[in-house]
Short mmCIF file of all heavy atoms in Angstrom, two decimals:
data_model
loop_
_atom_site.label_atom_id
_atom_site.label_comp_id
_atom_site.label_asym_id
_atom_site.label_seq_id
_atom_site.Cartn_x
_atom_site.Cartn_y
_atom_site.Cartn_z
N ARG A 20 1.51 -12.71 2.27
CA ARG A 20 1.29 -13.31 0.95
C ARG A 20 -0.03 -12.76 0.40
O ARG A 20 -0.13 -12.44 -0.79
CB ARG A 20 1.28 -14.84 1.12
CG ARG A 20 1.49 -15.54 -0.22
CD ARG A 20 1.62 -17.05 0.06
NE ARG A 20 2.81 -17.41 0.85
CZ ARG A 20 2.74 -17.89 2.11
NH1 ARG A 20 1.66 -18.16 2.66
NH2 ARG A 20 3.87 -18.16 2.74
N GLU A 21 -1.09 -12.73 1.24
CA GLU A 21 -2.34 -12.25 0.82
C GLU A 21 -2.35 -10.77 0.40
O GLU A 21 -2.85 -10.39 -0.65
CB GLU A 21 -3.32 -12.51 1.95
CG GLU A 21 -4.78 -11.94 1.66
CD GLU A 21 -5.60 -11.88 2.93
OE1 GLU A 21 -5.35 -12.59 3.87
OE2 GLU A 21 -6.60 -11.06 2.87
N MET A 22 -1.75 -9.94 1.26
CA MET A 22 -1.65 -8.52 0.97
C MET A 22 -0.85 -8.20 -0.28
O MET A 22 -1.13 -7.29 -1.01
CB MET A 22 -1.18 -7.86 2.19
CG MET A 22 -2.05 -7.91 3.42
SD MET A 22 -1.38 -7.21 4.94
CE MET A 22 -1.26 -5.48 4.52
N LEU A 23 0.24 -8.96 -0.50
CA LEU A 23 1.08 -8.74 -1.65
C LEU A 23 0.32 -9.10 -2.87
O LEU A 23 0.42 -8.35 -3.96
CB LEU A 23 2.36 -9.62 -1.56
CG LEU A 23 3.37 -9.36 -2.73
CD1 LEU A 23 3.93 -7.93 -2.66
CD2 LEU A 23 4.55 -10.39 -2.63
N GLY A 24 -0.44 -10.17 -2.89
CA GLY A 24 -1.30 -10.50 -4.01
C GLY A 24 -2.30 -9.42 -4.29
O GLY A 24 -2.55 -9.03 -5.49
N LEU A 25 -2.83 -8.81 -3.27
CA LEU A 25 -3.82 -7.64 -3.42
C LEU A 25 -3.13 -6.47 -4.09
O LEU A 25 -3.54 -5.84 -5.05
CB LEU A 25 -4.37 -7.26 -2.06
CG LEU A 25 -5.37 -6.08 -2.05
CD1 LEU A 25 -6.67 -6.48 -2.80
CD2 LEU A 25 -5.67 -5.73 -0.60
N LEU A 26 -1.84 -6.16 -3.57
CA LEU A 26 -1.13 -4.99 -4.11
C LEU A 26 -0.70 -5.20 -5.53
O LEU A 26 -0.69 -4.31 -6.35
CB LEU A 26 0.09 -4.80 -3.21
CG LEU A 26 1.01 -3.66 -3.57
CD1 LEU A 26 0.30 -2.30 -3.50
CD2 LEU A 26 2.26 -3.61 -2.72
N LEU A 27 -0.28 -6.46 -5.93
CA LEU A 27 0.17 -6.68 -7.30
C LEU A 27 -0.90 -7.19 -8.16
O LEU A 27 -0.61 -7.64 -9.30
CB LEU A 27 1.32 -7.81 -7.22
CG LEU A 27 2.54 -7.43 -6.38
CD1 LEU A 27 3.52 -8.62 -6.43
CD2 LEU A 27 3.19 -6.20 -6.94
N ASP A 28 -2.20 -7.05 -7.78
CA ASP A 28 -3.35 -7.47 -8.57
C ASP A 28 -3.19 -8.92 -9.06
O ASP A 28 -3.58 -9.27 -10.16
CB ASP A 28 -3.45 -6.53 -9.78
CG ASP A 28 -3.77 -5.11 -9.34
OD1 ASP A 28 -4.58 -4.97 -8.43
OD2 ASP A 28 -3.26 -4.15 -10.02
N GLU A 29 -2.68 -9.75 -8.13
CA GLU A 29 -2.51 -11.17 -8.44
C GLU A 29 -1.74 -11.42 -9.74
O GLU A 29 -2.03 -12.45 -10.42
CB GLU A 29 -3.94 -11.87 -8.46
CG GLU A 29 -4.73 -11.76 -7.19
CD GLU A 29 -4.01 -12.32 -6.01
OE1 GLU A 29 -3.19 -13.23 -6.13
OE2 GLU A 29 -4.34 -11.96 -4.82
N ASP A 30 -0.87 -10.58 -10.03
CA ASP A 30 -0.03 -10.76 -11.19
C ASP A 30 0.94 -11.94 -10.93
O ASP A 30 1.93 -11.84 -10.18
CB ASP A 30 0.90 -9.52 -11.49
CG ASP A 30 1.63 -9.62 -12.77
OD1 ASP A 30 2.21 -10.64 -13.13
OD2 ASP A 30 1.73 -8.58 -13.52
N GLU A 31 0.68 -13.10 -11.61
CA GLU A 31 1.37 -14.40 -11.27
C GLU A 31 2.92 -14.28 -11.66
O GLU A 31 3.69 -14.82 -11.01
CB GLU A 31 0.74 -15.52 -12.07
CG GLU A 31 -0.67 -15.83 -11.59
CD GLU A 31 -0.67 -16.35 -10.16
OE1 GLU A 31 0.32 -16.83 -9.68
OE2 GLU A 31 -1.75 -16.14 -9.52
N LYS A 32 3.21 -13.44 -12.72
CA LYS A 32 4.60 -13.37 -13.11
C LYS A 32 5.37 -12.63 -12.06
O LYS A 32 6.58 -13.05 -11.73
CB LYS A 32 4.67 -12.61 -14.46
CG LYS A 32 6.06 -12.53 -15.06
CD LYS A 32 6.03 -11.86 -16.38
CE LYS A 32 7.45 -11.69 -16.92
NZ LYS A 32 7.48 -11.04 -18.25
N LEU A 33 4.82 -11.60 -11.51
CA LEU A 33 5.50 -10.85 -10.46
C LEU A 33 5.53 -11.63 -9.20
O LEU A 33 6.63 -11.72 -8.48
CB LEU A 33 4.86 -9.52 -10.19
CG LEU A 33 4.98 -8.49 -11.37
CD1 LEU A 33 4.20 -7.19 -11.04
CD2 LEU A 33 6.44 -8.14 -11.64
N LEU A 34 4.45 -12.25 -8.75
CA LEU A 34 4.41 -13.00 -7.55
C LEU A 34 5.39 -14.18 -7.53
O LEU A 34 5.91 -14.56 -6.50
CB LEU A 34 2.93 -13.52 -7.30
CG LEU A 34 1.90 -12.46 -6.91
CD1 LEU A 34 0.57 -13.06 -6.92
CD2 LEU A 34 2.26 -11.83 -5.54
N ALA A 35 5.60 -14.68 -8.77
CA ALA A 35 6.56 -15.88 -8.81
C ALA A 35 7.94 -15.51 -8.51
O ALA A 35 8.73 -16.40 -8.15
CB ALA A 35 6.48 -16.53 -10.21
N ARG A 36 8.23 -14.17 -8.57
CA ARG A 36 9.61 -13.81 -8.25
C ARG A 36 9.85 -13.50 -6.76
O ARG A 36 10.93 -13.04 -6.42
CB ARG A 36 9.95 -12.52 -9.09
CG ARG A 36 10.04 -12.82 -10.57
CD ARG A 36 10.19 -11.55 -11.34
NE ARG A 36 11.27 -10.66 -10.80
CZ ARG A 36 11.36 -9.35 -11.02
NH1 ARG A 36 10.41 -8.80 -11.83
NH2 ARG A 36 12.31 -8.66 -10.54
N VAL A 37 8.81 -13.60 -5.92
CA VAL A 37 8.88 -13.25 -4.55
C VAL A 37 8.65 -14.51 -3.68
O VAL A 37 7.57 -15.18 -3.82
CB VAL A 37 7.91 -12.20 -4.15
CG1 VAL A 37 8.03 -11.82 -2.69
CG2 VAL A 37 7.94 -10.97 -5.14
N ASP A 38 9.59 -14.93 -2.78
CA ASP A 38 9.38 -16.01 -1.87
C ASP A 38 8.83 -15.33 -0.52
O ASP A 38 9.54 -14.58 0.06
CB ASP A 38 10.66 -16.72 -1.64
CG ASP A 38 11.11 -17.56 -2.86
OD1 ASP A 38 10.30 -17.97 -3.63
OD2 ASP A 38 12.34 -17.87 -2.89
N VAL A 39 7.64 -15.68 -0.16
CA VAL A 39 7.06 -15.19 1.05
C VAL A 39 6.97 -16.26 2.07
O VAL A 39 6.22 -17.28 1.85
CB VAL A 39 5.62 -14.62 0.80
CG1 VAL A 39 5.16 -13.88 2.01
CG2 VAL A 39 5.59 -13.65 -0.37
N THR A 40 7.83 -16.19 3.11
CA THR A 40 7.94 -17.32 4.03
C THR A 40 8.55 -16.77 5.35
O THR A 40 8.97 -15.68 5.42
CB THR A 40 8.78 -18.41 3.39
OG1 THR A 40 8.80 -19.53 4.35
CG2 THR A 40 10.20 -17.99 3.21
N THR A 41 8.57 -17.67 6.32
CA THR A 41 9.23 -17.31 7.54
C THR A 41 10.75 -17.57 7.44
O THR A 41 11.23 -18.29 6.60
CB THR A 41 8.70 -18.15 8.74
OG1 THR A 41 9.12 -19.53 8.52
CG2 THR A 41 7.25 -18.03 8.89
N ILE A 42 11.54 -16.91 8.33
CA ILE A 42 12.97 -17.17 8.24
C ILE A 42 13.30 -18.64 8.58
O ILE A 42 14.16 -19.25 7.93
CB ILE A 42 13.69 -16.22 9.29
CG1 ILE A 42 13.62 -14.80 8.79
CG2 ILE A 42 15.19 -16.62 9.31
CD1 ILE A 42 12.54 -14.04 9.41
N ASP A 43 12.60 -19.24 9.58
CA ASP A 43 12.83 -20.56 9.87
C ASP A 43 12.53 -21.56 8.68
O ASP A 43 13.32 -22.46 8.43
CB ASP A 43 12.05 -21.05 11.08
CG ASP A 43 12.46 -20.46 12.37
OD1 ASP A 43 13.64 -19.92 12.45
OD2 ASP A 43 11.68 -20.44 13.38
N ALA A 44 11.49 -21.30 7.98
CA ALA A 44 11.18 -22.12 6.84
C ALA A 44 12.18 -21.98 5.73
O ALA A 44 12.56 -22.92 5.07
CB ALA A 44 9.75 -21.74 6.33
N CYS A 45 12.69 -20.73 5.57
CA CYS A 45 13.63 -20.42 4.52
C CYS A 45 14.93 -21.22 4.90
O CYS A 45 15.52 -21.82 4.04
CB CYS A 45 13.93 -18.98 4.42
SG CYS A 45 15.23 -18.46 3.29
N ALA A 46 15.36 -21.12 6.17
CA ALA A 46 16.58 -21.79 6.56
C ALA A 46 16.43 -23.35 6.40
O ALA A 46 17.34 -24.02 5.91
CB ALA A 46 16.91 -21.46 8.05
N ASN A 47 15.24 -23.88 6.82
CA ASN A 47 15.04 -25.29 6.64
C ASN A 47 15.08 -25.75 5.22
O ASN A 47 15.69 -26.79 4.84
CB ASN A 47 13.60 -25.62 7.19
CG ASN A 47 13.46 -27.04 7.59
OD1 ASN A 47 13.42 -27.94 6.67
ND2 ASN A 47 13.50 -27.38 8.85
N GLY A 48 14.65 -24.86 4.23
CA GLY A 48 14.64 -25.24 2.89
C GLY A 48 16.13 -25.20 2.35
O GLY A 48 16.48 -26.03 1.51
N VAL A 49 16.94 -24.30 2.87
CA VAL A 49 18.32 -24.27 2.47
C VAL A 49 19.04 -25.55 2.89
O VAL A 49 19.81 -26.10 2.17
CB VAL A 49 19.01 -23.06 3.09
CG1 VAL A 49 20.55 -23.10 2.82
CG2 VAL A 49 18.53 -21.75 2.44
N VAL A 50 18.86 -25.90 4.15
CA VAL A 50 19.48 -27.11 4.69
C VAL A 50 18.98 -28.33 3.94
O VAL A 50 19.84 -29.33 3.67
CB VAL A 50 19.25 -27.24 6.17
CG1 VAL A 50 19.83 -28.51 6.76
CG2 VAL A 50 19.90 -26.08 6.86
N ARG A 51 17.73 -28.47 3.64
CA ARG A 51 17.17 -29.68 2.97
C ARG A 51 17.73 -29.79 1.57
O ARG A 51 17.91 -30.84 1.06
CB ARG A 51 15.67 -29.58 2.91
CG ARG A 51 15.01 -29.82 4.24
CD ARG A 51 13.45 -29.96 4.13
NE ARG A 51 12.87 -30.26 5.42
CZ ARG A 51 12.78 -31.55 5.93
NH1 ARG A 51 13.20 -32.53 5.20
NH2 ARG A 51 12.21 -31.76 7.13
N ALA A 52 18.04 -28.61 1.00
CA ALA A 52 18.58 -28.70 -0.41
C ALA A 52 19.96 -29.23 -0.44
O ALA A 52 20.51 -29.67 -1.47
CB ALA A 52 18.57 -27.27 -0.98
N HIS A 53 20.62 -29.31 0.71
CA HIS A 53 22.03 -29.69 0.82
C HIS A 53 22.14 -31.04 1.55
O HIS A 53 23.24 -31.61 1.62
CB HIS A 53 22.92 -28.71 1.46
CG HIS A 53 23.17 -27.52 0.64
ND1 HIS A 53 22.27 -26.48 0.49
CD2 HIS A 53 24.21 -27.09 -0.13
CE1 HIS A 53 22.78 -25.55 -0.26
NE2 HIS A 53 23.95 -25.92 -0.68
N SER A 54 20.98 -31.57 2.08
CA SER A 54 21.13 -32.82 2.88
C SER A 54 19.78 -33.56 2.67
O SER A 54 18.70 -32.96 2.87
CB SER A 54 21.38 -32.44 4.29
OG SER A 54 21.31 -33.73 5.13
N ALA A 55 19.84 -34.82 2.48
CA ALA A 55 18.63 -35.65 2.35
C ALA A 55 17.91 -35.77 3.68
O ALA A 55 16.69 -35.96 3.69
CB ALA A 55 19.01 -37.07 1.80
N ALA A 56 18.71 -35.84 4.83
CA ALA A 56 18.03 -36.01 6.11
C ALA A 56 18.33 -34.81 6.96
O ALA A 56 19.46 -34.48 7.27
CB ALA A 56 18.53 -37.29 6.77
N VAL A 57 17.28 -34.16 7.42
CA VAL A 57 17.42 -33.00 8.25
C VAL A 57 16.62 -33.23 9.61
O VAL A 57 15.49 -33.69 9.58
CB VAL A 57 16.77 -31.71 7.54
CG1 VAL A 57 16.87 -30.51 8.57
CG2 VAL A 57 17.46 -31.44 6.27
N PRO A 58 17.33 -33.16 10.71
CA PRO A 58 16.68 -33.38 11.99
C PRO A 58 15.41 -32.52 12.16
O PRO A 58 15.38 -31.44 11.67
CB PRO A 58 17.75 -32.99 13.11
CG PRO A 58 19.06 -33.11 12.24
CD PRO A 58 18.78 -32.73 10.86
N LYS A 59 14.49 -33.09 12.94
CA LYS A 59 13.25 -32.42 13.12
C LYS A 59 13.40 -31.29 14.26
O LYS A 59 13.80 -31.63 15.31
CB LYS A 59 12.21 -33.34 13.54
CG LYS A 59 10.86 -32.74 13.92
CD LYS A 59 9.94 -33.79 14.50
CE LYS A 59 8.64 -33.09 15.08
NZ LYS A 59 7.71 -34.15 15.73
N PRO A 60 13.03 -30.07 13.94
CA PRO A 60 13.13 -29.01 14.96
C PRO A 60 12.04 -29.13 16.05
O PRO A 60 10.96 -29.54 15.69
CB PRO A 60 13.04 -27.76 14.17
CG PRO A 60 12.30 -28.05 12.98
CD PRO A 60 12.64 -29.53 12.66
N ILE A 61 12.37 -28.90 17.26
CA ILE A 61 11.38 -29.10 18.35
C ILE A 61 11.14 -27.69 18.92
O ILE A 61 11.93 -26.74 18.74
CB ILE A 61 11.80 -30.02 19.48
CG1 ILE A 61 13.14 -29.60 20.07
CG2 ILE A 61 11.97 -31.46 18.91
CD1 ILE A 61 13.57 -30.41 21.24
N GLY A 62 10.01 -27.57 19.58
CA GLY A 62 9.62 -26.28 20.16
C GLY A 62 10.24 -25.97 21.53
O GLY A 62 10.95 -26.78 22.09
N ASP A 63 9.83 -24.83 22.12
CA ASP A 63 10.35 -24.40 23.34
C ASP A 63 9.96 -25.32 24.54
O ASP A 63 10.80 -25.62 25.44
CB ASP A 63 9.88 -23.01 23.68
CG ASP A 63 10.46 -21.92 22.73
OD1 ASP A 63 11.46 -22.25 22.04
OD2 ASP A 63 9.87 -20.81 22.69
N ARG A 64 8.75 -25.88 24.48
CA ARG A 64 8.25 -26.73 25.62
C ARG A 64 9.14 -28.03 25.60
O ARG A 64 9.63 -28.42 26.71
CB ARG A 64 6.91 -26.97 25.42
CG ARG A 64 6.25 -27.92 26.51
CD ARG A 64 4.82 -28.18 26.32
NE ARG A 64 4.29 -29.05 27.31
CZ ARG A 64 2.94 -29.42 27.35
NH1 ARG A 64 2.11 -29.06 26.44
NH2 ARG A 64 2.51 -30.20 28.37
N GLU A 65 9.35 -28.66 24.50
CA GLU A 65 10.17 -29.87 24.40
C GLU A 65 11.56 -29.53 24.79
O GLU A 65 12.31 -30.38 25.45
CB GLU A 65 10.15 -30.42 23.04
CG GLU A 65 8.75 -31.00 22.62
CD GLU A 65 7.88 -29.97 22.05
OE1 GLU A 65 8.21 -28.67 22.05
OE2 GLU A 65 6.75 -30.24 21.53
#
């Protein structure tokens, strides 16, 4: 996200068209958009 802002000279219009995130966060957002209650993901240790 930081490097893209540098490359695009912090052009807010262009940056608004790019979602910069992890795959897990993207997936979580998709599921949340279709369900009010999403189970909490746990880590490898748990």
Side-chain angles (χ1 to χ4, degrees):
R20 200 173 297 113
E21 176 194 340
M22 293 171 70
L23 184 64
L25 180 67
L26 180 62
L27 299 179
D28 295 321
E29 300 299 337
D30 187 319
E31 294 298 334
K32 184 177 179 181
L33 291 177
L34 290 170
R36 291 172 50 199
V37 186
D38 290 338
V39 187
T40 187
T41 66
I42 293 98
D43 287 344
C45 176
N47 200 289
V49 170
V50 175
R51 286 186 179 279
H53 289 79
S54 175
V57 178
K59 175 187 174 183
I61 61 174
D63 292 341
R64 182 178 179 182
E65 293 86 351

